[in-house]
């Protein structure tokens, strides 16, 4: 595996591959890799001739007081894992080259980024879409794979690609979970053993919502009341949001009449955790 730090070097290699008709699969990450990331790498390998993974803790998607300084990092371990998984290039750019002095150009997807995490983290998605657009220009990917745990992010990137006529296919990958059911996340490293037990309430509340719908419940208020009561049962968890949304527009859903996204975000200790489930009433696929 080759490690590239220079933007121009990465672009030169990508141009060479494209000239030779070699398809490029891409997985952008902020590092501290886990099996969820590696599942994206495996999917990219299935869909392309070569695979590029980027590792870049993007400063523009962190707001004031957020965790960029303590965001977990272990580049040596990450490179070892990516070597094992047959990644062709790991792109590890410098922040000062990604954002030149006087940088002032940003990409913004408007409506999709307003609710949910966009409401809680103003400016976050502008940072995400900007850095992803830059990475697409550098890596020149034919296909890019993103996890569905960050469902709103996935929708925003798809919208950006469609609106700006970017020549890259966006593929979503289902949430990968730990054996205890918690959605894999680099921020799980923040959790103490007791906090990890508390964090299991997110997945359990999603399971309960699905059971309610399978038993015939369609009223969104009833479903969300049950979800919130499960999340708040006991100490140690603070709900950021628990909402039912349309899985394409992210408009609020009050009555389930088709596939519906149940999106959760909660604070457990120092960690802000996300989880979601696409819930479909029986017979409404």
């Amino acid at each position: 595996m080759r490690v590239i730090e220079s933007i121009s070097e990465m672009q030169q290699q990508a141009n060479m591959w494209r000239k030779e008709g070699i398809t490029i699969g891409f997985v952008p990450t902020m590092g501290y890799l886990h099996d969820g990331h590696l599942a994206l790498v495996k999917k990219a390998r299935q869909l392309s001739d070569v695979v590029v993974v980027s590792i870049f803790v993007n400063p523009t998607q962190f707001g004031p007081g957020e965790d960029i300084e303590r965001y977990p990092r272990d580049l040596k371990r990450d490179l070892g894992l990516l070597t094992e998984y047959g990644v062709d290039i790991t792109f590890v750019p410098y922040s000062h080259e990604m954002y030149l002095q006087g940088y002032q150009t940003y990409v913004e997807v408007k409506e999709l980024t307003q609710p949910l995490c966009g409401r809680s983290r103003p400016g976050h998605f502008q940072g995400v879409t900007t850095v992803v657009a830059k990475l697409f220009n550098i890596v020149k990917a034919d296909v890019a794979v993103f996890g569905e745990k960050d469902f709103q992010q996935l929708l925003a990137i798809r919208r950006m690609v469609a609106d700006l006529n970017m020549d890259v296919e966006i593929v979503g990958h289902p949430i990968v979970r730990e054996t205890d059911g918690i959605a894999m996340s680099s921020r799980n490293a923040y959790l103490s053993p007791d906090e990890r037990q508390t964090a299991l309430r997110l997945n359990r509340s999603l399971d309960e919502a699905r059971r309610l719908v399978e038993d015939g419940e369609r009223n969104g208020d009833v479903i969300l009341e049950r979800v919130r009561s499960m999340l708040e049962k006991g100490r140690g968890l603070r709900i950021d949001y628990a909402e039912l949304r349309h899985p394409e527009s992210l408009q609020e859903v009050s009555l389930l009449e088709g596939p519906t996204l149940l999106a959760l975000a909660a604070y457990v200790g120092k960690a802000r955790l996300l989880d979601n489930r696409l819930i479909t009433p029986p017979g409404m696929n």
Side-chain angles (χ1 to χ4, degrees), residues 28-91:
T29 82
M30 293 205 299
Y32 210 72
L33 304 180
H34 50 67
D35 285 348
H37 294 115
L38 298 175
L40 307 185
V41 172
K42 289 169 67 175
K43 185 65 175 179
R45 172 61 68 196
Q46 294 169 7
L47 299 172
S48 55
D49 298 322
V50 295
V51 175
V52 177
V53 174
S54 65
I55 296 177
F56 180 63
V57 181
N58 175 39
T60 65
Q61 70 189 69
F62 289 81
E66 291 190 335
D67 60 349
I68 186 168
E69 296 303 328
R70 61 187 178 87
Y71 192 85
R73 295 166 171 85
D74 192 340
L75 182 58
K76 182 178 180 181
R77 172 182 168 275
D78 289 346
L79 295 178
L81 287 170
L82 296 175
T83 299
E84 289 179 20
Y85 271 72
V87 168
D88 296 274
I89 288 178
T90 300
F91 177 49

Side-chain angles (χ1 to χ4, degrees), residues 252-270:
E252 285 191 89
V253 172
S254 57
L255 183 67
L256 272 70
E257 299 178 311
T260 302
L261 178 72
L262 174 53
L264 307 179
Y267 293 93
V268 179
K270 298 177 181 179

